[in-house]
Every structure is written in C-alpha cells, then in structure tokens.
C-alpha cells in the first residue's frame, strides 16, 4: 500500500467523523507496532495536504519490560519531524508481579491509556490518536458480543471529560492486511512487542474466528463493519466509509 492510499483512508475517516480540526495538538500513541507507526507516518505526511493545521506529539508508554528498545522509533520520529517522548512506567511489574493478573491485558490497557493521556495533557495536547484499524473494530465487536453480551465497539471519537481530551481513531477504515503491506513496502521500522502475554489473549481468539468467517462468508468484513455503522451505536454513523476496498 502506498502512502497516498494510507492517507486517503485516514483522511476519509477524519472527515466522516470530524476527527481533526484547525489548531489541534494531537498526541499519537506509538507502541512501535505496525499500526501505530503507520498512523504516525500518515498523520505526519497529511500535515502538508490538509487545510486544517495541526501539530503532532509521538508518545510511547514503556511498560518497564526487559528488552524494550525504542531507539528506532525515536530515529524515525526525528526523520519525519515529530517529537518523540518515552513515558517510563512500572506497569509490567504491577500487572505481572504485584497483581499477578491471569488476564493481564485489560489492566495493562487501562494503565497505559492513563499514562498516555496524562502526558498528552502535560504537553498541551487536546486530542489523542489511537491506531485501531478496521480489523480491530470487527474483533472488538465480537469480543463485546461473546464475552459481554452486548452489541457495540469503541467509538471513532470519544470525549474524556475529566482530562478535557478527545480520543480519535483515524485508522478505522484501514484493513490490517493493508497496514502490513504499507510497513513492508515503505521501510517503516517496527519494534517487536516484548510482552509475555502477546498472542495468547481473547483478542487473539477473535482474530482467529474472524479469519475463519472470512473464508466462509463473502465480503464478511464489509458486512459486519457496515452493520455496526448503521446501528448508530457508540458514536458510529452510516457514511461512504461503508464502501471499503476489498
């Protein structure tokens, strides 16, 4: 996937859901994985094309795990003209050693978001961008259905009143397969996730389930995504984004 196509996906989502406004200062959550690195690349490049003028801050939450190295991320950020801040935490110690969580992802996610949002406020940002892609939307839909007994997913735009922040998700139209192609074809550096729980999660189960359903049902992703948008739940709405490239 080309940079132009990635920007097209991001720009369409941003316009459909009013994610980017003139004067925004946006903190991008950058784990170093393929999704967050692609989002950062796309938003940085779009600064030259969008009529709305905005600033970016790249924020990485370090969990305190051995082997975590974000030097490549910092170097890439310098190359594209975005300041990079690594937020040092002891989240891994709390989750794995102190709390000894059997299902660590929920607590880890909550603590990471808390650290990220606090730093975003400190840096004067009014928005935080997360890199959830279209596959994440669909997997979250099934996670909510099977594990919580409800219909829904995270919202494209969420307001955090306590911190006076808005969370935006500009990658919601981007298929994960396109993200993989983008980082591979454009030489975008990706940092390995050192988390010991990586891969063995409920989300991993949903990823496998979705892959199986794709084989059985034509246009499976488009139908589920479109149904979620037409439901009107959680800030979703029907837009031209229903007609997504296959």
């Amino acid at each position: 996937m080309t940079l132009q196509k990635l920007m097209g996906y991001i720009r369409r989502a941003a316009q459909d859901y009013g994610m980017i406004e003139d004067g925004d200062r946006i903190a991008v959550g950058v784990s170093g994985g393929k999704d967050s690195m692609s989002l950062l690349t796309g938003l940085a490049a779009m600064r030259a094309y969008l009529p709305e003028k905005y600033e970016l801050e790249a924020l990485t939450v370090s969990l305190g795990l051995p082997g975590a190295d974000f030097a490549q991320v910092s170097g890439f950020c310098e190359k594209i003209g975005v300041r990079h801040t690594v937020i040092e935490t002891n989240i891994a110690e709390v989750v794995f050693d102190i709390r000894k969580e059997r299902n660590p992802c929920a607590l880890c996610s909550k603590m990471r978001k808390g650290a990220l949002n606090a730093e975003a406020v400190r840096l004067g940002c009014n928005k935080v961008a997360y890199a959830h892609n279209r596959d994440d939307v669909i997997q979250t839909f099934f996670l909510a259905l099977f594990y919580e007994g409800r219909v829904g997913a995270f919202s494209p735009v969420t307001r955090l009143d306590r911190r006076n922040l808005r969370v935006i998700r500009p990658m919601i139209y981007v298929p994960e397969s396109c993200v993989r192609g983008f980082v591979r074809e454009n030489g975008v550096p990706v940092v390995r996730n050192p988390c010991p729980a990586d891969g063995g999660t409920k989300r991993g189960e949903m990823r496998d389930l979705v892959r199986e359903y794709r084989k059985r049902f034509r246009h499976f992703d488009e139908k589920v995504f479109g149904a979620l948008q037409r439901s009107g739940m959680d800030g979703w709405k029907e837009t031209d984004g229903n007609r997504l490239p296959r």
Side-chain angles (χ1 to χ4, degrees), residues 41-90:
T41 304
L43 287 176
M46 281 171 53
R47 291 177 298 183
Y49 299 98
L50 283 189
E52 297 84 4
K53 301 305 176 186
Y54 59 92
E55 299 178 1
L56 295 175
E57 292 276 354
L59 306 184
T60 298
V61 177
S62 174
L63 305 182
L65 288 165
D69 183 359
F70 301 107
Q72 276 189 301
V73 177
S74 295
F76 185 76
C77 287
E78 183 177 0
K79 179 181 176 182
I80 62 175
V82 178
R83 183 170 65 172
H84 182 222
T85 301
V86 178
I87 308 163
E88 300 291 346
T89 76
N90 65 337

